[in-house]
Amino acid sequence: MNDAVKCPKCDGAGGTRWHNPDGSEWGVRCDRCDGFGHIPDFRRHGRSTPYTSAGIKRLPCARCGAKASSQWQVCADGRLFRPLCSSCDIDLNRMVLVWMNDPAAEAKAAAYEKREGA
């Protein structure tokens, strides 16, 4: 994949192919939108069993649309595993630690961010 390639519709990074409005293929598929500039709703991706480490990397983040690297499962969301990018995963972990009134929330979040490399 050429990192310099940008989606002409949303400026997302390229993937495997884009489609013209008539359905014909050209260029590289955008990992953020569907190739027509439409960023899919986060509920589009989610399943009851965990994604494999290879499978999760093929999906967009449920929050921002960037390339996913991890997954989260929430009971109130039907226990579906949702793909998250590294940045959103770090932000979510930080938010939950603060919500739980963890006295070392910021230190734990900083250590997690350093470990995950975002």
Side-chain angles (χ1 to χ4, degrees):
M1 178 174 85
N2 182 354
D3 291 333
V5 176
K6 295 288 184 185
C7 174
K9 303 290 184 180
C10 74
D11 287 332
T16 55
R17 67 181 183 279
W18 285 322
H19 289 88
N20 289 318
D22 67 359
S24 61
E25 293 183 10
W26 65 282
V28 179
R29 179 185 59 85
C30 178
D31 289 326
R32 184 167 179 221
C33 75
D34 61 3
F36 299 106
H38 174 262
I39 298 174
D41 187 344
F42 77 95
R43 295 206 179 272
R44 185 172 184 186
H45 298 287
R47 65 187 208 182
S48 59
T49 57
Y51 291 98
T52 63
S53 57
I56 196 73
K57 294 176 181 167
R58 288 182 237 153
L59 298 172
C61 175
R63 181 171 180 265
C64 71
K67 189 173 267 302
S69 60
S70 61
Q71 54 195 314
W72 265 75
Q73 181 186 39
V74 179
C75 296
D77 189 27
R79 296 183 184 264
L80 294 176
F81 287 89
R82 301 285 185 185
L84 291 176
C85 69
S86 180
S87 178
C88 289
D89 177 52
I90 289 166
D91 290 346
L92 183 56
N93 276 278
R94 178 175 278 118
M95 182 181 69
V96 170
L97 286 169
V98 169
W99 175 81
M100 291 177 58
N101 294 321
D102 188 314
E106 204 46 51
K108 288 178 179 179
Y112 183 66
E113 184 173 5
K114 185 176 180 182
R115 190 171 59 247
E116 293 300 311

